[in-house]
Amino acid sequence: MPTVLLSHPSGSSADIYLNGAHVTSWIPAGGKEVLFMGKTATFAPGDPIRGGIPVVWPQFANLGGLPQHGFARKSEWELVETPDGDGEEQSSVKLQLTDDHRTRELWPYHFRTELTVTLEEKSLTVKLEVFNTGDELFSFTAGLHTYVAVADIRESAIRGLTGKWYLDKTQGGNETKDEAKKLVISDETDRVYLKAPKKIEVEDRGNDRRIEVRATGFKDAVVWNPWVEKVTGFIGLDTEDYLRMVCVEAAQIGSPVELKPGTSWSGAQTLAIV
Ligand code: TA6
């Protein structure tokens, strides 16, 4: 499938599939792959890729009548900005998705959605922008469903969420306060943190690194790991894959964005090695 390869003079690199505007790899300068990819991930058009950064839009999960996580991740996006000149290193790219008969059958609105990926030495920024190009208000939920690679989830922790409230999807969506000093995942975890902190940190001890997930524009955040029993239900994930990943996702779920005709919204997420 068509892919854009980004590289930065520092040596960092990233791969983005036009299908789904899906970032499938990010390797910071002098470092190791930061994005997890399912061992048996399929890359066929229309199949969700379980790994990398799926773009969840215009619906998070099943919060509406659209297919799970909306249609953006299963759509063919177009390249807007291409590298200038032969052989030049390209460290940023913009892709866009506009409504067509297929999207209007599912969701009857006119829109342009842009995803800009910017690579730097030790960081990767993904910006999602939505423009209402029609004459009717629409609302949406969204997320950058980031699969962070860890050497071993049992030796990893997530910091920055202490004292925050979350909807626990493993307990029917009960609202719960996170009292733990750090979140160590040891069971199925599927949480929507409402009004999440702008910075969450994944401590990946096995790889001797810390990955910061910084958000702007997005109000919420999701933390997900299917753990040992549920992992078998996901095409593209191998039975032991739950040990090597944790999803930390900048998201907009609790208060859907309402976009009037002629207006736009944007949200961005930066992954950085600290
Ligand atoms: O973001 C967490 C979540 O919504 C989980 O509930 C889980 O289902 C996961 O996403 C994977 O979604 P997918 O549509 O790829 O099966």
Side-chain angles (χ1 to χ4, degrees), residues 50 60-61 68-69 73 145 147 169 190 222 224 234 249:
R50 300 232 162 72
F60 180 80
Q68 155 96 352
H69 285 330
R73 68 172 173 168
H145 197 303
Y147 286 77
K169 287 172 71 182
D190 196 352
V222 176
W224 178 62
F234 292 92
E249 318 166 23

Side-chain angles (χ1 to χ4, degrees), residues 23-252:
V23 182
T24 53
S25 165
W26 170 46
I27 304 177
K32 279 168 69 169
E33 179 61 65
V34 177
L35 297 175
F36 163 86
M37 182 55 65
K39 255 203 185 127
T40 51
T42 52
F43 289 86
D47 278 358
I49 302 173
R50 300 232 162 72
I53 312 182
V55 177
V56 171
W57 189 82
Q59 175 187 295
F60 180 80
N62 57 0
L63 298 175
L66 293 174
Q68 155 96 352
H69 285 330
F71 51 75
R73 68 172 173 168
K74 294 186 184 170
S75 301
E76 192 66 23
W77 292 55
E78 296 169 72
L79 205 52
V80 180
E81 283 163 18
T82 47
D84 356 297
D86 288 342
E88 270 206 27
E89 285 190 321
Q90 184 191 0
S91 54
S92 170
V93 69
K94 187 186 280 189
L95 307 178
Q96 74 171 21
L97 179 69
T98 47
D99 60 285
D100 60 15
H101 67 91
R102 190 190 57 92
T103 65
R104 287 191 299 271
E105 262 171 31
L106 291 166
W107 200 62
Y109 302 105
H110 296 281
F111 65 86
R112 186 174 78 257
T113 299
E114 295 179 353
L115 192 91
T116 307
V117 182
T118 307
L119 180 65
E120 299 204 42
E121 183 180 359
K122 302 268 183 199
S123 71
L124 180 88
T125 299
V126 179
K127 182 177 178 193
L128 181 70
E129 286 171 282
V130 182
F131 301 83
N132 184 340
T133 55
D135 49 19
E136 257 185 275
L137 176 142
F138 61 68
S139 70
F140 63 85
T141 47
L144 296 171
H145 197 303
T146 308
Y147 286 77
V148 177
V150 291
D152 189 332
I153 192 71
R154 295 163 297 194
E155 292 174 13
S156 306
I158 297 160
R159 294 180 186 272
L161 296 166
T162 312
K164 304 293 170 195
W165 288 88
Y166 63 91
L167 306 178
D168 189 345
K169 287 172 71 182
T170 69
Q171 303 297 325
N174 276 355
E175 200 163 353
T176 312
K177 192 173 182 183
D178 190 338
E179 307 278 12
K181 219 169 132 206
K182 57 183 184 177
L183 171 59
V184 178
I185 295 183
S186 56
D187 205 348
E188 185 197 355
T189 303
D190 196 352
R191 301 179 175 187
V192 175
Y193 285 85
L194 298 168
K195 300 199 179 105
K198 295 294 154 218
K199 196 172 81 183
I200 299 172
E201 189 180 288
V202 178
E203 189 186 314
D204 173 14
R205 270 213 304 283
N207 281 319
D208 194 22
R209 67 182 179 186
R210 289 179 295 132
I211 302 144
E212 242 175 43
V213 182
R214 297 184 215 129
T216 54
F218 289 101
K219 289 200 169 76
D220 309 316
V222 176
V223 177
W224 178 62
N225 183 304
W227 211 248
V228 63
E229 284 100 23
K230 291 265 174 82
V231 74
T232 54
F234 292 92
I235 293 169
L237 296 181
D238 200 32
T239 47
E240 300 233 309
D241 275 351
Y242 74 98
L243 292 171
R244 302 190 295 120
M245 58 156 278
V246 59
C247 283
V248 178
E249 318 166 23
Q252 184 76 28

